[in-house]
């Protein structure tokens, strides 16, 4: 184990998780993190580029809901606008009720069947069921002043969070809050009466950036070159230090940048700090796709790092659509490192973008997280902090990738 690299990995993690704290897209901390990444790559001799996009930071000022003199515990839906409304409460539990009811100028409670799973953001292109789009457009046409959603336990769809926000969409402009299914049933008894809902949340416009570093012999004929694109998202969920998700991934990219300082192989190596994996509209990923629209077919391989270096268990290398010779190279590297194993396939990461555009991929994560993906309650919470990171694993993965890249 290289002591100097290990110390650097610790320094990078401290910077991203302690000095910066909030890395959610649109926040000042997010811009601080991308600037640091940019400067470090530059110091290490990489040609650097940025891709800028518009976003907003979101401030959750809490909310208050009162019916008669009864107070209800409510949470503001992430990215929601604030409100201060006094209006009649009406309720809907399915699409038919939503379609046929008159909700103009009312506060609307959504509960039961219609609130069973989180609605995809209205402009999300990768996966968006027709039913979700229908609900969103009915709500937007209804004239409601504000929405309260009562959601039940749904471990598989919301990572065990209870209650979960039915709406998590910065492009949806009707203010909304959420509460537990139990409280939703209590609130339902006030249907037809006037209630008060006040929420102090707000959106603050601010840009975000992807940062890209490039190296290789073919640097000056980029279009003809075969590229290997190594990605890790630099943003974190609001309210979480985002240590495993995904400060470790970004620290790893910087350690790898150091190991590849003198890379002069035949491939073009591209290191990408993606910005937006944990933001509703994945703006950095969309910006990257737009810039690379006609360029995905020269990508030989994507290696995406997300969720790596958890203190428990081994590091998993999951391979997707690799040519046999490339698969063999990966297997050799995995076998040569005691902390690495081949992993099962999972789709909840940025490697999916490359797969959609026909490029093969390797996804690197912690085996424990892949095995417990539906039940673990660490991701996106305060529990995802530096205490659960094994910093040695960052160096081991970076050294393995360095060897792999020099064999391709
Ligand atoms: Zn992540």
């Amino acid at each position: 184990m290289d002591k100097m690299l290990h110390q650097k990995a610790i320094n990078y993690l401290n910077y991203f998780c302690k000095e910066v704290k909030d890395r959610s897209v649109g926040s000042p901390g997010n811009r601080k993190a991308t600037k640091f990444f940019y400067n470090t790559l530059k110091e290490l001799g990489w040609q650097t580029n940025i891709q800028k996009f518009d976003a907003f930071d979101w401030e959750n000022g809490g909310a208050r809901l009162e019916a008669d003199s009864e107070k209800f515990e409510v949470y503001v839906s992430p990215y929601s606008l604030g409100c201060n409304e006094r209006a009649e409460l009406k309720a809907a539990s399915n699409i038919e009720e939503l379609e046929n009811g008159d909700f103009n100028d009312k506060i609307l409670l959504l509960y039961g069947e219609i609130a069973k799973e989180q609605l995809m953001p209205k402009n999300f292109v990768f996966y968006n069921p027709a039913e979700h789009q229908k609900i969103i457009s009915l709500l937007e046409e209804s004239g409601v002043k504000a929405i309260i959603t009562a959601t039940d336990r749904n471990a598989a769809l919301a990572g065990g969070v209870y209650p979960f926000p039915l709406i998590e969409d910065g492009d949806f402009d009707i203010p909304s809050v959420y509460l537990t299914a139990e409280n939703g049933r209590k609130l339902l008894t006030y249907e037809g009466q006037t209630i008060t809902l006040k929420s102090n949340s707000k959106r603050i416009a601010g840009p975000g950036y992807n940062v890209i570093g490039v190296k290789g012999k073919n640097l000056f004929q980029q279009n003809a070159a075969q590229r290997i694109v190594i990605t890790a998202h630099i943003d974190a969920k609001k309210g979480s230090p985002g240590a495993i998700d995904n400060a470790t991934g970004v620290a790893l990219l910087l350690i790898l940048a150091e190991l590849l300082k003198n890379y002069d192989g035949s491939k073009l190596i591209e290191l990408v700090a993606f910005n937006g994996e944990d933001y509703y509209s994945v703006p950095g990923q969309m910006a990257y796709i737009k810039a690379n629209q006609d360029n995905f077919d020269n990508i030989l391989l994507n290696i995406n790092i997300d969720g790596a270096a958890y203190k428990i268990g081994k590091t998993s290398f999951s391979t997707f659509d690799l040519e046999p010779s490339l698969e063999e190279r990966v297997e050799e590297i995995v076998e040569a490192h005691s902390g690495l194993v081949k992993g099962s396939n999972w789709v909840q990461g940025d490697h999916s973008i490359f797969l959609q555009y026909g490029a093969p991929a390797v996804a690197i994560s912690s085996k424990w997280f892949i095995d417990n993906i539906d039940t673990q309650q660490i991701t996106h919470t305060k529990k995802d902090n530096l205490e659960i990171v094994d910093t040695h694993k960052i160096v081991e993965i970076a050294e393995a990738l360095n060897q792999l890249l020099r064999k391709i």
Side-chain angles (χ1 to χ4, degrees), residues 116-338:
K116 67 179 187 298
E117 62 180 28
Q118 189 173 68
L119 301 171
M120 294 308 294
K122 56 189 257 196
N123 295 325
F124 195 76
V125 294
F126 299 108
Y127 165 78
N128 212 331
E131 194 181 294
H132 292 195
Q133 296 176 50
K134 171 103 180 165
I135 294 169
I136 292 292
S137 66
L138 285 173
L139 288 171
E140 288 183 329
E141 289 158 13
S142 69
V144 293
K145 287 184 154 171
I147 300 165
I148 303 161
T149 68
T151 49
D152 228 320
R153 284 186 172 77
N154 191 337
L157 286 158
V161 179
Y162 176 68
F164 65 88
L166 184 70
I167 298 164
E168 188 167 345
D169 186 356
D171 296 323
F172 183 75
D173 290 340
I174 305 168
S176 76
V177 297
Y178 62 106
L179 41 56
T180 62
E182 284 96 333
N183 280 333
R185 279 189 287 276
K186 258 199 259 169
L187 183 63
L188 193 56
T189 63
Y190 291 96
E191 192 173 10
Q193 298 186 36
T194 299
I195 64 165
T196 307
L197 177 64
K198 188 171 194 306
S199 158
N200 297 310
S201 58
K202 60 178 176 213
R203 299 172 182 165
I204 305 152
Y209 306 88
N210 287 331
V211 183
I212 300 169
V214 188
K215 194 174 274 292
K217 270 185 186 155
N218 283 313
L219 197 56
F220 300 105
Q221 340 147 7
Q222 288 192 17
N223 292 332
Q226 280 192 299
R227 295 189 285 160
I228 300 171
V229 184
I230 307 159
T231 51
H233 72 85
I234 195 165
D235 65 306
K237 200 78 172 175
K238 195 90 181 172
S240 171
I244 296 287
D245 186 20
N246 186 31
T248 52
V250 183
L252 211 153
L253 284 188
L254 292 177
I255 299 293
L256 188 60
E258 181 128 13
L259 291 168
L260 290 170
K261 236 161 120 177
N262 311 315
Y263 176 84
D264 65 348
S266 62
K267 305 297 182 293
L268 193 80
I269 307 274
E270 194 179 300
L271 302 179
V272 183
F274 264 144
N275 203 349
E277 208 262 344
D278 281 320
Y279 193 76
Y280 76 97
S281 58
V282 291
Q285 285 75 351
M286 297 309 286
Y288 185 86
I289 289 170
K290 203 173 165 202
N292 282 276
Q293 249 167 14
D294 307 315
N295 257 331
F296 274 94
D297 47 359
N298 63 22
I299 297 176
L300 184 68
L301 180 66
N302 164 240
I303 300 172
N304 184 53
I305 308 144
D306 195 353
Y310 183 48
K311 62 182 180 182
I312 296 168
K314 295 194 177 192
T315 298
S316 67
F317 277 47
S318 304
T319 57
F320 302 80
D321 306 340
L322 262 53
E323 296 272 325
S325 63
L326 210 47
E327 183 80 42
E328 229 173 89
R329 295 287 90 74
V330 173
E331 270 161 24
E332 284 165 15
I333 291 295
V334 167
E335 270 161 41
H337 294 83
S338 61

Side-chain angles (χ1 to χ4, degrees), residues 40-54:
T40 310
L41 273 188
K42 223 179 166 93
E43 276 163 31
L44 292 168
W46 288 67
Q47 181 191 303
T48 43
N49 301 312
I50 53 166
Q51 288 166 345
K52 187 181 178 183
F53 55 82
D54 291 324

